Amino acid sequence: MSASPLTPLDYIAAGYWQDFLAGRPIAGGIAYEAELRDCTLDESLSSLQRVDTLLSQIRRDLIKTGNWDEDALLTDERYRNLMMFLAFYAGQVLAQQWQATAHWYGQFELRKRYPIWSLSTDDFYQHMAVLYSENNSANINANANINDSASLPIFFALEPIGLRLFGHVDRPFVAVQGGQVASGLYQAVSARLPVANNDYVSTIITQDNKSNVAARMAPQVDLGSSNIESNSQTVGTSVDSLIKQNTTTTSADDLNRAALNEATISQMIADPLANKDLSNEQQGEIKPELSKLEPALTQTKLATSVKPSPTPEIFSQLLIELDEIERPQTAGNAEYQQARKVLDQFEQHVAKQSKPRAQINFSESHLAAKKQALLKLQEAAHVGNTAAMLRLAMYELLGEGLVIDKNAGIEAGVEWVKQAASKDDSRAQRLLSKMYYQGVGVLQDINNGKYWLEQAAQNGHVEAASLVAQWQQAQTLITTQKQEQHSIKRYQLLLAVVLVVAVLILIIV
């Protein structure tokens, strides 16, 4: 397939990047340029993690200064340029992973080539997208059903940027290609990386696809290899043994046909990413019902060179939610903000590393500053600040908190999460549900996991509400299937009785 002609956006993208590399100002200016340069934009996947951290910091800055107004900021040329620059950069990184050239389309080209999408002229996040693997789109029928649109190697890079900056309970982001928008550029790009023996595997799942039951559940996490025993569950501080992440999808037809029982659904909540490199012993401990899922799951292994994040996913997601889901605090907010400022810098440094947290070295002054920040968190937590409780819990569960004894630290971390959850903080309730589903710091308990998931949903947690709805859909499928099976058995029994009566009549006659 011959290369498509360059578009105006291709020239703009190249100009942005060349100006940035040369230290020249971008036309119209760009917000947070100095901070962008500190992110070390080396076109690597890890650089996208640093960009996501910067976006979270920008969000906090905007909220703190009272300027967190999406509509107003989208009229500010410097902020629009920032988001476009980051979109161009993410597209460039993604195309590089495919060993291709990023090719940008504006809405005019997108509407012409892909009429399957209902693009909104007023939606800033839909006005451009990158074709990141042109060879793999050669055989795609652009006029296919909209449910096939996820297979197109097209990336709307502004969507995860917008979600990272402005997403919250009342401002959901819906992907043009269906499904949910990824909560950051690193996650969005990683989901589109090439895989072994496949030209293209999409992990974007349309809303009609029942595979969301598996795709959006709590990721399974092994906190480490330090063999810390708490409540009969091993929880450690190292992430050396983090399990490779794989995508697991189930088609709607497969889910309808599969004879799934309640234990199977519970296991899907606990372990959606079922295809992991675990020993037989580990599989017996963590995924006792995995064998029941195998007929229903289509497993696609990501064969990439992506290094595991230094921070376990369960806590990375918590930090994101603490930024993105706002919950008013009645006390301890000043102390919490002081501590967060220090700890955010600490986490930014951690995110730049390519090794487990336990192996990262810090100076004595850094450790002293961190300890003071943790003491501030503790002070805020004691007066009822749930955000402080959750951050403090994270460090205790990681073995990096104020409690010296690791077992006692894990117990303290669990108690902080439970206390925050009891105060109807949906972030804490979602975290606690994951902990019960996965057996992190507590005994694995599917019923408790489901209970706290429902509590989080009732308190407005979008992801939890989606999972509960999907659970109910699956339960309905199971009930319907059982009723159908029961009806068939009754019919068979009735038929047998009729045959017996008929035979008796023949004998008598």
Side-chain angles (χ1 to χ4, degrees):
M1 180 179 178
S2 58
S4 300
L6 294 178
T7 69
L9 280 175
D10 287 331
Y11 289 106
I12 294 173
Y16 270 36
W17 186 236
Q18 291 170 5
D19 286 344
F20 185 81
L21 291 178
R24 296 190 296 266
I26 291 174
I30 183 171
Y32 289 89
E33 182 176 352
E35 290 80 0
L36 266 179
R37 296 190 182 279
D38 290 340
C39 287
T40 313
L41 302 184
D42 54 7
E43 301 182 58
S44 66
L45 286 171
S46 59
S47 69
L48 296 179
Q49 291 179 308
R50 299 192 285 271
V51 169
D52 284 339
T53 301
L54 173 60
L55 288 171
S56 294
Q57 182 62 52
I58 292 173
R59 178 192 179 102
R60 288 192 292 270
D61 290 347
L62 294 173
I63 293 173
K64 185 177 180 180
T65 58
N67 294 322
W68 194 48
D69 186 326
E70 182 179 5
D71 292 335
L73 288 170
L74 288 181
T75 62
D76 188 321
E77 187 174 9
R78 296 176 67 252
Y79 280 93
R80 287 203 316 275
N81 286 342
L82 169 66
M83 287 185 269
M84 289 181 63
F85 174 85
L86 292 178
F88 289 145
Y89 177 72
Q92 184 172 322
V93 172
L94 179 57
Q96 180 176 274
Q97 293 294 319
W98 282 90
Q99 298 183 347
T101 300
H103 194 60
W104 286 92
Y105 296 136
Q107 271 209 4
F108 175 78
E109 292 90 356
L110 290 170
R111 290 178 185 277
K112 184 176 180 180
R113 294 172 67 101
Y114 308 111
I116 55 178
W117 293 321
S118 300
L119 299 175
S120 171
T121 305
D122 297 330
D123 195 329
F124 171 77
Y125 308 105
Q126 297 180 8
H127 86 265
M128 65 183 198
V130 62
L131 174 68
Y132 55 83
S133 181
E134 194 164 11
N135 289 337
N136 291 315
S137 66
N139 299 319
I140 301 255
N141 179 8
N143 294 309
N145 185 279
I146 193 167
N147 288 332
D148 298 327
S149 66
S151 63
L152 295 169
I154 297 289
F155 178 32
F156 285 79
L158 285 168
E159 291 177 338
I161 296 172
L163 177 62
R164 194 81 172 189
L165 286 174
F166 304 112
H168 55 87
V169 173
D170 297 323
R171 177 59 174 101
F173 279 73
V174 178
V176 170
Q177 292 171 287
Q180 295 181 334
V181 177
S183 61
L185 288 172
Y186 178 79
Q187 179 184 346
V189 169
S190 296
R192 291 167 171 78
L193 295 178
V195 299
N197 302 321
N198 267 304
D199 288 334
Y200 180 77
V201 171
S202 172
T203 59
I204 301 173
I205 303 173
T206 61
Q207 293 175 343
D208 292 334
N209 196 332
K210 299 298 189 302
S211 63
N212 273 338
V213 174
R216 293 293 299 167
M217 299 301 178
Q220 183 74 31
V221 175
D222 178 1
L223 284 180
S225 56
S226 57
N227 296 323
I228 299 171
E229 197 70 29
S230 172
N231 295 326
S232 303
Q233 190 65 35
T234 300
V235 181
T237 60
S238 171
V239 289
D240 282 327
S241 58
L242 271 176
I243 301 164
K244 291 181 180 180
Q245 298 298 312
N246 302 286
T247 58
T248 302
T249 60
T250 307
S251 70
D253 291 338
D254 285 342
L255 189 57
N256 282 319
R257 290 194 300 266
L260 298 177
N261 56 26
E262 292 188 10
T264 300
I265 300 175
S266 297
Q267 188 59 31
M268 291 172 75
I269 291 273
D271 183 14
L273 305 178
N275 184 25
K276 296 181 178 178
D277 297 335
L278 293 175
S279 67
N280 291 335
E281 181 181 1
Q282 287 172 313
Q283 289 177 2
E285 293 174 356
I286 299 178
K287 298 181 291 184
E289 302 293 328
L290 178 58
S291 61
K292 298 179 182 179
L293 289 177
E294 291 174 356
L297 298 180
T298 302
Q299 300 177 348
T300 307
K301 196 173 221 180
L302 285 176
T304 70
S305 58
V306 181
K307 297 179 180 179
S309 170
T311 303
E313 173 67 20
I314 192 172
F315 298 125
S316 297
Q317 186 62 31
L318 170 64
L319 291 175
I320 292 171
E321 290 190 357
L322 285 170
D323 288 336
E324 295 185 350
I325 302 177
E326 299 298 319
R327 185 179 189 277
Q329 302 292 336
T330 57
N333 197 51
E335 293 81 0
Y336 172 71
Q337 295 298 339
Q338 291 173 18
R340 187 177 73 170
K341 185 176 181 180
V342 174
L343 294 173
D344 281 348
Q345 295 175 354
F346 184 85
E347 290 302 321
Q348 287 172 13
H349 177 74
V350 170
K352 294 178 182 179
Q353 309 304 309
S354 57
K355 54 187 176 182
R357 295 176 70 100
Q359 298 178 11
I360 301 173
N361 295 320
F362 296 94
S363 67
E364 290 298 325
S365 60
H366 286 160
L367 292 176
K370 179 187 175 185
K371 184 176 181 180
Q372 289 300 314
L374 291 176
L375 288 170
K376 284 287 184 183
L377 275 186
Q378 188 178 65
E379 184 180 343
H382 279 306
V383 295
N385 189 293
T386 57
M389 293 176 190
L390 290 172
R391 281 184 179 258
L392 190 58
M394 182 190 82
Y395 286 107
E396 296 293 2
L397 289 167
L398 286 169
E400 302 173 13
L402 296 170
V403 180
I404 297 176
D405 180 77
K406 292 181 179 179
N407 289 341
I410 291 171
E411 292 178 1
V414 171
E415 287 306 313
W416 280 125
V417 177
K418 288 182 177 179
Q419 188 173 335
S422 69
K423 292 180 176 293
D424 289 336
D425 190 317
S426 66
R427 303 165 299 186
Q429 292 167 337
R430 178 62 181 124
L431 174 61
L432 189 55
S433 75
K434 291 181 182 180
M435 291 168 65
Y436 274 116
Y437 277 129
Q438 301 173 17
V440 176
V442 296
L443 282 173
Q444 190 175 38
D445 187 327
I446 300 303
N447 289 331
N448 266 330
K450 183 172 180 287
Y451 170 79
W452 286 110
L453 183 70
E454 291 172 338
Q455 293 300 305
Q458 290 175 14
N459 284 301
H461 194 288
V462 175
E463 182 198 35
S466 176
L467 294 181
V468 169
Q470 291 158 15
W471 174 285
Q472 292 170 345
Q473 279 185 330
Q475 290 286 67
T476 301
L477 288 175
I478 292 170
T479 302
T480 302
Q481 185 183 57
K482 288 180 178 178
Q483 291 173 344
E484 290 174 351
Q485 290 174 346
H486 184 64
S487 297
I488 290 172
K489 288 180 180 178
R490 291 179 60 188
Y491 175 77
Q492 290 172 340
L493 181 61
L494 179 61
L495 181 61
V497 171
V498 170
L499 289 175
V500 170
V501 172
V503 171
L504 289 174
I505 291 174
L506 289 174
I507 293 174
I508 294 172
V509 171

